[in-house]
Amino acid sequence: MPYFPDKFADVTVVTKANVYFDGKVVSHSVLFPDSTKKTLGLIYPGSYHFGTGAPERMEIVAGACCVTLDGQAAVRDYVTGQSFDVPGQSGFTIEVASGICEYICSFLAG
């Protein structure tokens, strides 16, 4: 099972939240000294579509979700400890059936 950190050292956290879908998806941006960025967030039950500019890696740190990448018919299930990549200039639909899904989103070089 992949290792996901439980904390980040020497970072800057943007205190203003990124709020989507009437508060059903909320994240905070974390800025690293090497100029990379991640977001840490929560997804409440529902189905949500996100577009991507840069490629992204979504790491599920708690809970579960179902994901459909744009242009694909397959729906994949992800649980705590799993991750999926989304191409840049694309998107995905993420669905949480129950509980809260917690994630780390890493913005990858593309």
Side-chain angles (χ1 to χ4, degrees), residues 18-61:
N18 307 303
V19 180
Y20 307 97
F21 303 103
D22 296 321
K24 300 288 186 181
V25 180
V26 179
S27 69
H28 283 273
S29 297
V30 179
L31 309 174
F32 290 79
D34 66 359
S35 298
T36 58
K37 173 183 164 183
K38 297 181 187 290
T39 57
L40 307 177
L42 305 172
I43 305 172
Y44 290 86
S47 180
Y48 314 99
H49 184 268
F50 288 92
T52 60
E56 299 178 5
R57 174 166 297 131
M58 292 284 288
E59 301 167 319
I60 308 305
V61 296

Side-chain angles (χ1 to χ4, degrees), residues 34-107:
D34 66 359
S35 298
T36 58
K37 173 183 164 183
K38 297 181 187 290
T39 57
L40 307 177
L42 305 172
I43 305 172
Y44 290 86
S47 180
Y48 314 99
H49 184 268
F50 288 92
T52 60
E56 299 178 5
R57 174 166 297 131
M58 292 284 288
E59 301 167 319
I60 308 305
V61 296
C65 61
C66 299
V67 175
T68 306
L69 297 177
D70 284 2
Q72 297 185 10
V75 178
R76 299 221 23 217
D77 296 326
Y78 295 93
V79 298
T80 302
Q82 295 182 315
S83 65
F84 61 93
D85 290 347
V86 183
Q89 304 302 316
S90 183
F92 63 101
T93 298
I94 188 164
E95 182 175 351
V96 175
S98 63
I100 298 173
C101 181
E102 299 178 42
Y103 67 89
I104 300 170
C105 177
S106 299
F107 298 90

